[in-house]
């Protein structure tokens, strides 16, 4: 007898049993070929999913720094702070 099931498709149309597998496939596709021979992208994609919270936090911090940097003088000159005796 036939059974009903749920599946997921990546952007290329490949079928996966779990959403995690389909998303990892899409991430690997975005990363492209990494390394010689068999690509390291699938393993890196899984790591990205596992470390998502930390990665998103880092990107949020990066975006905040970039916004702050845009507000600063972009002439490329840096003023050294006076050194204090320790």
């Amino acid at each position: 007898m036939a059974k009903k099931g749920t599946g997921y498709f990546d952007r290329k149309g490949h079928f996966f049993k779990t959403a995690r597998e389909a998303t990892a496939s899409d991430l690997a596709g975005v990363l492209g070929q990494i390394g010689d021979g068999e690509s390291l992208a699938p393993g890196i994609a899984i790591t990205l999913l596992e470390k998502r919270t930390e990665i998103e936090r880092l990107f949020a911090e990066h975006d905040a720094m970039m916004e702050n940097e845009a507000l600063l003088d972009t002439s490329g000159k840096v003023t050294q702070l006076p050194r204090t005796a320790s």
Side-chain angles (χ1 to χ4, degrees):
M1 170 164 217
K3 295 182 180 181
K4 181 180 176 182
T6 301
Y8 302 88
F9 296 89
D10 67 5
R11 293 180 182 192
K12 292 182 180 179
H14 298 116
F15 176 81
F16 295 90
K17 292 181 181 179
T18 68
R20 185 175 188 270
E21 291 172 336
T23 302
S25 176
D26 282 336
L27 282 170
V30 168
L31 294 171
Q33 177 70 27
I34 299 175
D36 296 328
E38 192 172 334
S39 178
L40 300 172
I44 293 169
I46 290 169
T47 302
L48 289 172
L49 282 173
E50 291 171 351
K51 303 287 185 177
R52 180 179 176 171
T53 303
E54 297 92 58
I55 292 168
E56 287 177 344
R57 180 181 46 78
L58 288 172
F59 275 114
E61 291 171 0
H62 172 76
D63 291 344
M65 288 187 289
M66 294 302 293
E67 287 176 16
N68 187 43
E69 186 176 274
L71 298 174
L72 300 174
D73 179 22
T74 58
S75 66
K77 297 180 181 178
V78 177
T79 303
Q80 293 271 341
L81 295 175
R83 293 183 179 240
T84 58
S86 34

Coordinates of all heavy atoms in Angstrom, one line a residue:
M1 N 0.8 -1.2 0.0 CA 0.0 0.0 0.0 C 0.9 1.2 0.0 O 1.9 1.3 0.7 CB -0.9 0.0 1.2 CG -1.6 1.2 1.5 SD -3.0 1.0 2.6 CE -4.2 2.0 1.9
A2 N 0.5 2.2 -0.7 CA 1.2 3.5 -0.8 C 1.1 4.2 0.5 O 0.2 4.2 1.2 CB 0.7 4.3 -2.0
K3 N 2.2 5.0 0.8 CA 2.2 5.8 2.0 C 2.5 7.3 1.6 O 3.2 7.5 0.7 CB 3.3 5.3 3.0 CG 3.0 3.9 3.5 CD 4.1 3.5 4.5 CE 3.8 2.1 5.0 NZ 4.7 1.7 6.0
K4 N 2.0 8.1 2.4 CA 2.2 9.6 2.2 C 3.5 9.9 2.9 O 3.7 9.5 4.0 CB 1.0 10.4 2.7 CG 1.2 11.9 2.5 CD -0.1 12.6 3.1 CE 0.1 14.1 3.0 NZ -1.0 14.8 3.5
G5 N 4.3 10.8 2.4 CA 5.5 11.2 3.0 C 5.8 12.7 2.7 O 5.2 13.3 1.8
T6 N 6.7 13.2 3.4 CA 7.2 14.6 3.2 C 8.6 14.5 2.8 O 9.4 13.8 3.3 CB 7.1 15.4 4.5 OG1 5.7 15.4 4.9 CG2 7.5 16.8 4.3
G7 N 9.0 15.4 1.8 CA 10.3 15.5 1.4 C 10.7 16.9 1.1 O 9.8 17.8 1.1
Y8 N 11.9 17.2 0.8 CA 12.4 18.5 0.6 C 13.3 18.5 -0.7 O 14.0 17.5 -1.0 CB 13.2 19.0 1.8 CG 12.4 19.0 3.0 CD1 12.3 17.9 3.8 CD2 11.6 20.1 3.4 CE1 11.5 17.9 5.0 CE2 10.8 20.1 4.5 CZ 10.8 19.0 5.3 OH 10.0 19.0 6.4
F9 N 13.2 19.6 -1.4 CA 14.0 19.7 -2.6 C 15.0 20.9 -2.5 O 14.6 22.0 -2.0 CB 13.1 19.9 -3.8 CG 12.2 18.7 -4.1 CD1 11.0 18.6 -3.5 CD2 12.7 17.7 -5.0 CE1 10.2 17.5 -3.8 CE2 11.8 16.6 -5.2 CZ 10.6 16.5 -4.6
D10 N 16.2 20.7 -2.9 CA 17.1 21.8 -3.0 C 16.9 22.6 -4.2 O 15.9 22.3 -5.0 CB 18.6 21.3 -2.9 CG 19.1 20.6 -4.1 OD1 18.3 20.5 -5.1 OD2 20.2 20.1 -4.1
R11 N 17.6 23.7 -4.4 CA 17.4 24.6 -5.6 C 17.6 23.9 -6.9 O 17.1 24.4 -7.9 CB 18.2 25.8 -5.4 CG 17.8 26.7 -4.2 CD 18.6 27.9 -4.1 NE 18.2 28.6 -2.9 CZ 18.5 29.8 -2.6 NH1 19.3 30.5 -3.4 NH2 18.1 30.4 -1.5
K12 N 18.4 22.9 -6.9 CA 18.6 22.2 -8.2 C 17.5 21.1 -8.5 O 17.6 20.5 -9.5 CB 20.0 21.5 -8.1 CG 21.1 22.5 -8.1 CD 22.4 21.7 -8.1 CE 23.6 22.7 -8.1 NZ 24.9 21.9 -8.1
G13 N 16.6 20.9 -7.5 CA 15.5 20.0 -7.7 C 15.8 18.6 -7.2 O 15.1 17.6 -7.4
H14 N 17.0 18.4 -6.4 CA 17.3 17.1 -5.9 C 16.5 16.9 -4.6 O 16.3 17.8 -3.8 CB 18.8 17.0 -5.5 CG 19.7 17.1 -6.7 ND1 20.5 18.2 -6.9 CD2 19.8 16.4 -7.8 CE1 21.2 18.0 -8.1 NE2 20.7 17.0 -8.6
F15 N 16.0 15.7 -4.4 CA 15.1 15.3 -3.3 C 15.9 14.9 -2.1 O 16.9 14.2 -2.2 CB 14.2 14.1 -3.7 CG 13.4 13.6 -2.6 CD1 12.2 14.3 -2.3 CD2 13.7 12.5 -1.9 CE1 11.4 13.8 -1.2 CE2 12.9 12.0 -0.8 CZ 11.8 12.7 -0.5
F16 N 15.5 15.4 -0.9 CA 16.1 15.0 0.4 C 15.0 14.7 1.4 O 13.9 15.2 1.3 CB 16.9 16.2 0.9 CG 18.1 16.5 0.0 CD1 18.0 17.4 -1.0 CD2 19.3 15.8 0.2 CE1 19.1 17.7 -1.8 CE2 20.4 16.1 -0.6 CZ 20.3 17.0 -1.6
K17 N 15.3 13.8 2.3 CA 14.3 13.4 3.3 C 14.1 14.4 4.4 O 13.1 14.5 5.0 CB 14.8 12.1 4.0 CG 14.7 10.9 3.0 CD 15.1 9.6 3.8 CE 15.1 8.4 2.8 NZ 15.5 7.2 3.5
T18 N 15.2 15.2 4.6 CA 15.1 16.3 5.7 C 15.4 17.6 5.1 O 16.1 17.8 4.2 CB 16.1 16.0 6.9 OG1 17.4 16.2 6.4 CG2 15.9 14.6 7.4
A19 N 14.8 18.6 5.8 CA 15.1 20.0 5.4 C 16.6 20.4 5.6 O 17.2 21.1 4.8 CB 14.2 21.0 6.2
R20 N 17.2 19.8 6.7 CA 18.6 20.1 6.9 C 19.5 19.6 5.8 O 20.4 20.3 5.4 CB 19.0 19.3 8.2 CG 20.4 19.6 8.7 CD 20.6 18.9 10.1 NE 21.9 19.3 10.6 CZ 23.0 18.7 10.4 NH1 23.0 17.6 9.6 NH2 24.1 19.1 10.9
E21 N 19.2 18.4 5.2 CA 20.0 17.9 4.1 C 19.8 18.8 2.9 O 20.8 19.0 2.2 CB 19.5 16.5 3.8 CG 19.9 15.5 4.8 CD 19.3 14.1 4.6 OE1 18.3 14.0 3.9 OE2 19.9 13.1 5.1
A22 N 18.6 19.2 2.6 CA 18.3 20.1 1.4 C 19.0 21.4 1.6 O 19.6 21.9 0.6 CB 16.8 20.3 1.2
T23 N 18.9 22.0 2.8 CA 19.6 23.3 3.0 C 21.1 23.1 2.9 O 21.8 24.0 2.3 CB 19.2 23.8 4.4 OG1 17.8 24.0 4.5 CG2 19.9 25.2 4.7
A24 N 21.7 22.0 3.5 CA 23.1 21.8 3.4 C 23.5 21.7 1.9 O 24.6 22.2 1.5 CB 23.5 20.6 4.1
S25 N 22.7 21.1 1.1 CA 23.0 20.9 -0.3 C 23.0 22.3 -1.0 O 23.9 22.6 -1.8 CB 22.0 20.0 -1.0 OG 22.2 20.0 -2.4
D26 N 22.0 23.2 -0.7 CA 22.0 24.5 -1.2 C 23.2 25.3 -0.8 O 23.8 26.0 -1.6 CB 20.7 25.2 -0.8 CG 19.5 24.8 -1.6 OD1 19.7 24.3 -2.8 OD2 18.4 25.0 -1.1
L27 N 23.6 25.2 0.5 CA 24.8 25.9 1.0 C 26.1 25.4 0.2 O 26.9 26.2 -0.1 CB 25.0 25.7 2.5 CG 24.1 26.5 3.4 CD1 24.2 26.0 4.8 CD2 24.4 28.0 3.3
A28 N 26.2 24.1 0.1 CA 27.3 23.6 -0.6 C 27.4 24.1 -2.1 O 28.4 24.4 -2.6 CB 27.3 22.1 -0.7
G29 N 26.2 24.3 -2.7 CA 26.1 24.8 -4.0 C 26.6 26.3 -4.1 O 27.3 26.7 -5.0
V30 N 26.2 27.0 -3.0 CA 26.7 28.4 -3.0 C 28.2 28.5 -2.8 O 28.9 29.4 -3.4 CB 25.9 29.2 -1.8 CG1 26.6 30.5 -1.5 CG2 24.5 29.3 -2.1
L31 N 28.7 27.6 -2.0 CA 30.2 27.6 -1.7 C 31.0 27.2 -2.9 O 32.1 27.6 -3.1 CB 30.5 26.7 -0.5 CG 29.9 27.1 0.8 CD1 30.1 26.0 1.9 CD2 30.6 28.4 1.3
G32 N 30.4 26.3 -3.7 CA 31.1 25.8 -4.9 C 32.2 24.8 -4.6 O 32.2 24.3 -3.5
Q33 N 33.1 24.6 -5.5 CA 34.2 23.6 -5.3 C 35.2 24.2 -4.4 O 35.7 25.3 -4.6 CB 34.8 23.3 -6.7 CG 36.0 22.4 -6.6 CD 35.6 21.0 -6.3 OE1 34.5 20.5 -6.6 NE2 36.6 20.3 -5.7
I34 N 35.5 23.5 -3.3 CA 36.5 23.9 -2.3 C 37.5 22.7 -2.2 O 37.1 21.6 -1.9 CB 35.9 24.2 -1.0 CG1 34.9 25.4 -1.1 CG2 37.0 24.5 0.0 CD1 34.2 25.7 0.2
G35 N 38.7 23.0 -2.5 CA 39.8 22.0 -2.4 C 40.0 21.2 -3.7 O 39.2 21.4 -4.7
D36 N 41.0 20.4 -3.7 CA 41.3 19.6 -4.9 C 40.5 18.3 -4.7 O 40.3 17.8 -3.6 CB 42.8 19.3 -5.0 CG 43.6 20.6 -5.2 OD1 43.0 21.5 -5.9 OD2 44.7 20.7 -4.8
G37 N 40.2 17.7 -5.8 CA 39.5 16.4 -5.8 C 38.0 16.6 -5.3 O 37.4 17.6 -5.7
E38 N 37.6 15.8 -4.4 CA 36.2 15.9 -3.9 C 36.1 17.2 -3.1 O 36.9 17.4 -2.2 CB 35.8 14.7 -3.1 CG 34.3 14.6 -2.8 CD 33.9 13.3 -2.1 OE1 34.6 12.3 -2.3 OE2 32.9 13.3 -1.4
S39 N 35.0 17.9 -3.3 CA 34.9 19.2 -2.7 C 34.7 19.1 -1.2 O 34.0 18.2 -0.7 CB 33.7 20.0 -3.3 OG 33.5 21.2 -2.6
L40 N 35.2 20.1 -0.4 CA 35.0 20.1 1.0 C 33.7 20.9 1.3 O 33.3 21.0 2.5 CB 36.2 20.8 1.7 CG 37.5 20.2 1.5 CD1 38.6 21.1 2.1 CD2 37.6 18.8 2.2
A41 N 33.0 21.5 0.3 CA 31.9 22.3 0.5 C 30.7 21.6 1.3 O 30.1 22.2 2.2 CB 31.4 22.8 -0.8
P42 N 30.4 20.3 1.0 CA 29.3 19.7 1.8 C 29.6 19.6 3.3 O 28.7 19.9 4.1 CB 29.2 18.3 1.2 CG 29.7 18.4 -0.2 CD 30.8 19.5 -0.1
G43 N 30.8 19.3 3.7 CA 31.2 19.3 5.1 C 31.1 20.7 5.7 O 30.7 20.9 6.8
I44 N 31.6 21.7 5.0 CA 31.6 23.0 5.4 C 30.1 23.5 5.6 O 29.8 24.2 6.6 CB 32.4 24.0 4.5 CG1 33.9 23.6 4.6 CG2 32.2 25.4 4.9 CD1 34.7 24.2 3.5
A45 N 29.3 23.1 4.6 CA 27.9 23.5 4.7 C 27.2 23.0 6.0 O 26.4 23.7 6.6 CB 27.1 23.0 3.5
I46 N 27.5 21.8 6.3 CA 26.9 21.2 7.5 C 27.4 21.9 8.8 O 26.7 22.2 9.7 CB 27.2 19.7 7.6 CG1 26.4 18.9 6.5 CG2 26.9 19.1 9.0 CD1 26.9 17.5 6.3
T47 N 28.7 22.2 8.8 CA 29.3 23.0 9.9 C 28.6 24.4 10.0 O 28.3 24.8 11.1 CB 30.8 23.2 9.7 OG1 31.4 21.9 9.7 CG2 31.4 23.9 10.9
L48 N 28.4 25.0 8.9 CA 27.7 26.3 8.9 C 26.3 26.2 9.5 O 25.9 27.1 10.3 CB 27.6 26.9 7.5 CG 28.8 27.4 6.8 CD1 28.6 27.7 5.3 CD2 29.4 28.6 7.5
L49 N 25.6 25.2 9.2 CA 24.3 25.0 9.8 C 24.4 24.7 11.3 O 23.6 25.3 12.1 CB 23.6 23.8 9.2 CG 22.9 24.0 7.8 CD1 22.4 22.7 7.2 CD2 21.8 25.1 7.9
E50 N 25.4 23.9 11.7 CA 25.6 23.6 13.1 C 26.0 24.9 13.9 O 25.7 25.0 15.1 CB 26.6 22.5 13.3 CG 26.2 21.2 12.8 CD 27.3 20.1 12.8 OE1 28.5 20.5 13.0 OE2 27.0 19.0 12.5
K51 N 26.8 25.7 13.3 CA 27.3 26.9 14.0 C 26.5 28.2 13.6 O 27.0 29.3 13.8 CB 28.8 27.1 13.6 CG 29.7 26.0 13.9 CD 29.9 25.8 15.4 CE 30.9 24.7 15.7 NZ 31.3 24.6 17.0
R52 N 25.3 28.0 13.1 CA 24.5 29.1 12.6 C 24.4 30.3 13.6 O 24.6 31.5 13.3 CB 23.2 28.6 12.2 CG 22.3 29.7 11.7 CD 20.9 29.2 11.3 NE 20.1 30.2 10.9 CZ 18.9 30.1 10.3 NH1 18.5 28.8 10.1 NH2 18.2 31.1 9.9
T53 N 24.1 30.0 14.9 CA 23.9 31.1 15.9 C 25.1 31.9 16.0 O 25.0 33.2 16.0 CB 23.5 30.4 17.2 OG1 22.3 29.7 17.0 CG2 23.2 31.5 18.3
E54 N 26.3 31.3 16.2 CA 27.5 32.0 16.3 C 27.9 32.8 15.1 O 28.3 33.9 15.2 CB 28.7 31.1 16.7 CG 28.5 30.3 18.0 CD 27.8 29.0 17.8 OE1 28.3 28.1 17.1 OE2 26.8 28.8 18.5
I55 N 27.6 32.2 13.9 CA 27.9 32.9 12.7 C 27.0 34.1 12.5 O 27.5 35.2 12.1 CB 27.8 31.9 11.5 CG1 28.9 30.8 11.6 CG2 27.8 32.6 10.1 CD1 28.7 29.7 10.6
E56 N 25.7 34.0 12.8 CA 24.8 35.1 12.6 C 25.2 36.2 13.6 O 25.1 37.4 13.2 CB 23.4 34.7 12.9 CG 22.8 33.9 11.7 CD 21.4 33.3 11.9 OE1 20.9 33.3 13.1 OE2 20.8 32.9 11.0
R57 N 25.7 35.9 14.8 CA 26.1 36.9 15.8 C 27.3 37.6 15.2 O 27.4 38.8 15.3 CB 26.4 36.2 17.1 CG 26.9 37.2 18.2 CD 27.2 36.6 19.5 NE 28.0 35.4 19.4 CZ 29.4 35.4 19.2 NH1 30.0 36.5 19.1 NH2 30.0 34.2 19.2
L58 N 28.3 36.9 14.7 CA 29.5 37.5 14.1 C 29.1 38.4 12.9 O 29.7 39.5 12.8 CB 30.4 36.4 13.6 CG 31.2 35.7 14.7 CD1 32.0 34.5 14.1 CD2 32.1 36.6 15.5
F59 N 28.2 38.0 12.1 CA 27.8 38.9 11.0 C 27.1 40.2 11.5 O 27.3 41.2 11.0 CB 26.9 38.2 10.0 CG 27.7 37.4 9.0 CD1 27.6 36.0 8.9 CD2 28.5 38.1 8.0 CE1 28.4 35.3 8.0 CE2 29.2 37.4 7.1 CZ 29.2 36.0 7.0
A60 N 26.3 40.0 12.6 CA 25.6 41.2 13.2 C 26.7 42.1 13.7 O 26.6 43.4 13.5 CB 24.6 40.7 14.3
E61 N 27.7 41.6 14.4 CA 28.7 42.4 14.9 C 29.5 43.1 13.8 O 29.9 44.3 13.9 CB 29.7 41.6 15.8 CG 29.1 41.1 17.1 CD 29.9 40.1 17.9 OE1 31.0 39.8 17.4 OE2 29.5 39.7 18.9
H62 N 29.8 42.4 12.7 CA 30.5 42.9 11.6 C 29.7 44.1 11.0 O 30.2 45.1 10.6 CB 30.7 41.8 10.5 CG 31.2 42.3 9.2 ND1 32.5 42.7 9.1 CD2 30.6 42.5 8.1 CE1 32.7 43.1 7.8 NE2 31.5 43.0 7.2
D63 N 28.4 43.8 10.8 CA 27.5 44.9 10.2 C 27.5 46.2 11.1 O 27.6 47.3 10.5 CB 26.1 44.4 10.1 CG 25.9 43.3 9.0 OD1 26.9 43.2 8.2 OD2 24.9 42.6 9.0
A64 N 27.5 46.0 12.4 CA 27.6 47.1 13.3 C 28.9 47.9 13.1 O 28.9 49.1 13.1 CB 27.3 46.7 14.7
M65 N 30.0 47.1 13.0 CA 31.3 47.8 12.9 C 31.4 48.5 11.5 O 31.9 49.6 11.4 CB 32.4 46.7 12.9 CG 32.7 46.2 14.3 SD 34.1 45.1 14.5 CE 33.5 43.7 13.6
M66 N 30.8 47.9 10.5 CA 30.8 48.5 9.2 C 30.0 49.8 9.2 O 30.4 50.8 8.6 CB 30.3 47.6 8.1 CG 31.2 46.4 7.9 SD 32.9 46.8 7.4 CE 32.6 47.5 5.8
E67 N 28.9 49.8 9.9 CA 28.0 51.1 10.0 C 28.8 52.1 10.7 O 28.8 53.3 10.3 CB 26.7 50.8 10.7 CG 25.7 50.0 9.9 CD 24.5 49.6 10.7 OE1 24.3 50.2 11.8 OE2 23.7 48.8 10.3
N68 N 29.5 51.7 11.8 CA 30.3 52.7 12.6 C 31.5 53.2 11.7 O 31.8 54.4 11.8 CB 30.8 52.0 13.9 CG 31.5 53.0 14.8 OD1 31.1 54.1 15.0 ND2 32.7 52.6 15.3
E69 N 32.1 52.3 11.0 CA 33.2 52.7 10.1 C 32.8 53.8 9.1 O 33.5 54.7 8.8 CB 33.8 51.5 9.5 CG 35.1 51.8 8.7 CD 35.6 50.5 8.1 OE1 36.4 49.9 8.8 OE2 35.3 50.2 7.0
A70 N 31.6 53.6 8.6 CA 31.1 54.5 7.5 C 30.9 55.9 8.1 O 31.0 56.9 7.4 CB 29.8 54.0 7.0
L71 N 30.6 56.0 9.4 CA 30.4 57.3 10.0 C 31.7 58.0 10.3 O 31.7 59.2 10.5 CB 29.6 57.1 11.4 CG 28.2 56.5 11.2 CD1 27.6 56.3 12.6 CD2 27.3 57.5 10.4
L72 N 32.8 57.3 10.4 CA 34.1 57.8 10.7 C 34.7 58.5 9.5 O 34.3 58.3 8.3 CB 35.0 56.8 11.2 CG 34.6 56.0 12.5 CD1 35.6 54.9 12.8 CD2 34.5 57.0 13.7
D73 N 35.7 59.3 9.7 CA 36.5 59.9 8.6 C 37.1 58.8 7.8 O 37.9 58.0 8.3 CB 37.5 60.8 9.2 CG 38.4 61.5 8.1 OD1 37.9 61.6 6.9 OD2 39.5 62.0 8.4
T74 N 36.9 58.8 6.5 CA 37.4 57.7 5.7 C 38.7 58.2 4.9 O 39.0 57.6 3.9 CB 36.4 57.2 4.7 OG1 35.9 58.4 3.9 CG2 35.2 56.6 5.4
S75 N 39.4 59.2 5.4 CA 40.6 59.7 4.7 C 41.7 58.7 4.8 O 42.7 58.9 4.1 CB 41.0 61.0 5.3 OG 41.4 60.9 6.6
G76 N 41.6 57.7 5.7 CA 42.7 56.7 5.8 C 43.7 57.1 6.8 O 44.7 56.3 7.0
K77 N 43.6 58.3 7.4 CA 44.6 58.7 8.4 C 44.2 58.1 9.8 O 43.0 58.1 10.1 CB 44.7 60.2 8.5 CG 45.2 60.8 7.2 CD 45.3 62.3 7.2 CE 45.8 62.8 5.9 NZ 45.8 64.3 5.9
V78 N 45.1 57.7 10.5 CA 44.9 57.2 11.9 C 45.7 58.1 12.9 O 46.9 58.3 12.7 CB 45.4 55.7 12.0 CG1 45.2 55.2 13.4 CG2 44.6 54.9 11.0
T79 N 45.0 58.5 13.9 CA 45.7 59.3 15.0 C 46.0 58.3 16.1 O 45.2 57.6 16.6 CB 44.7 60.4 15.5 OG1 44.3 61.2 14.4 CG2 45.4 61.2 16.5
Q80 N 47.3 58.3 16.4 CA 47.8 57.5 17.5 C 47.4 58.1 18.9 O 47.5 59.3 19.0 CB 49.3 57.3 17.5 CG 49.8 56.6 16.3 CD 49.8 55.1 16.6 OE1 49.9 54.6 17.7 NE2 49.9 54.3 15.5
L81 N 46.9 57.3 19.8 CA 46.5 57.8 21.1 C 47.8 57.9 21.9 O 48.8 57.1 21.7 CB 45.6 56.9 21.8 CG 44.2 56.8 21.2 CD1 43.4 55.7 22.0 CD2 43.5 58.1 21.3
P82 N 48.0 58.9 22.8 CA 49.2 59.0 23.6 C 49.3 57.8 24.5 O 48.4 57.3 25.0 CB 49.0 60.3 24.4 CG 47.5 60.7 24.3 CD 47.0 60.0 23.1
R83 N 50.6 57.4 24.6 CA 50.9 56.2 25.4 C 51.0 56.7 26.9 O 51.6 57.8 27.1 CB 52.1 55.5 25.0 CG 52.0 54.9 23.7 CD 53.3 54.1 23.4 NE 53.1 53.5 22.1 CZ 53.2 52.2 22.0 NH1 53.5 51.4 23.0 NH2 53.1 51.6 20.8
T84 N 50.5 55.9 27.8 CA 50.6 56.3 29.2 C 51.6 55.3 29.8 O 51.7 54.2 29.4 CB 49.2 56.1 29.9 OG1 48.8 54.8 29.8 CG2 48.2 57.1 29.4
A85 N 52.3 55.8 30.8 CA 53.3 55.0 31.5 C 52.6 54.0 32.3 O 51.6 54.3 33.0 CB 54.2 55.9 32.4
S86 N 53.0 52.8 32.3 CA 52.4 51.7 33.1 C 53.2 51.3 34.2 O 54.3 51.5 34.4 CB 52.0 50.5 32.2 OG 52.9 50.2 31.2

